[in-house]
Amino acid sequence: MIQIRSIVLTTALLGHASAQGCHPAYVTGVSYSAGDMVSATTTAESTSIESCTPGTELCPSSGFRTTTTTTSETHNYECKSEPSSQFCSQSVFAPNGIFSGQAWIKESA
């Protein structure tokens, strides 16, 4: 008799497995219903300008260095109950999008 563990089955079916505590990633075009759980990653980029001493390593002749920082956060979301759940499958209401609050509940940390 062959015994297949859920993590192995998930990997075989989806091509990846979620980390403990994370739900499968939201996928555009998939049908979602009330109570369905997904994860979504948001990436933010911030740029800062700082003064530096010209001629030193990584400092241009202007005396100002630009640093860009990228941060990614993954959160879990639950598709809201009716009637809001009708929006969960529409990409404009994706869990990390501007209208996500109308269709999805973001789990608190």
Side-chain angles (χ1 to χ4, degrees):
M1 172 182 245
I2 297 175
Q3 183 181 26
I4 300 176
R5 304 233 181 249
S6 62
I7 195 78
V8 174
L9 183 58
T10 300
T11 303
L13 294 174
L14 300 176
H16 68 280
S18 299
Q20 186 175 7
C22 289
H23 295 282
Y26 173 85
V27 178
T28 302
V30 171
S31 179
Y32 294 102
S33 303
D36 285 350
M37 301 292 293
V38 299
S39 66
T41 301
T42 304
T43 302
E45 191 173 274
S46 62
T47 303
S48 62
I49 299 174
E50 54 190 33
S51 62
C52 58
T53 305
T56 59
E57 187 176 350
L58 301 176
C59 186
S61 60
S62 66
F64 294 96
R65 165 178 45 229
T66 303
T67 304
T68 302
T69 305
T70 303
T71 306
S72 295
E73 295 182 347
T74 301
H75 296 279
N76 290 323
Y77 295 83
E78 179 181 0
C79 180
K80 288 185 174 183
S81 60
E82 292 291 338
S84 297
S85 64
Q86 65 184 324
F87 302 119
C88 292
S89 299
Q90 298 178 29
S91 61
V92 71
F93 296 97
N96 56 358
I98 191 167
F99 300 114
S100 66
Q102 295 177 359
W104 297 92
I105 301 167
K106 182 179 178 180
E107 286 186 352
S108 58

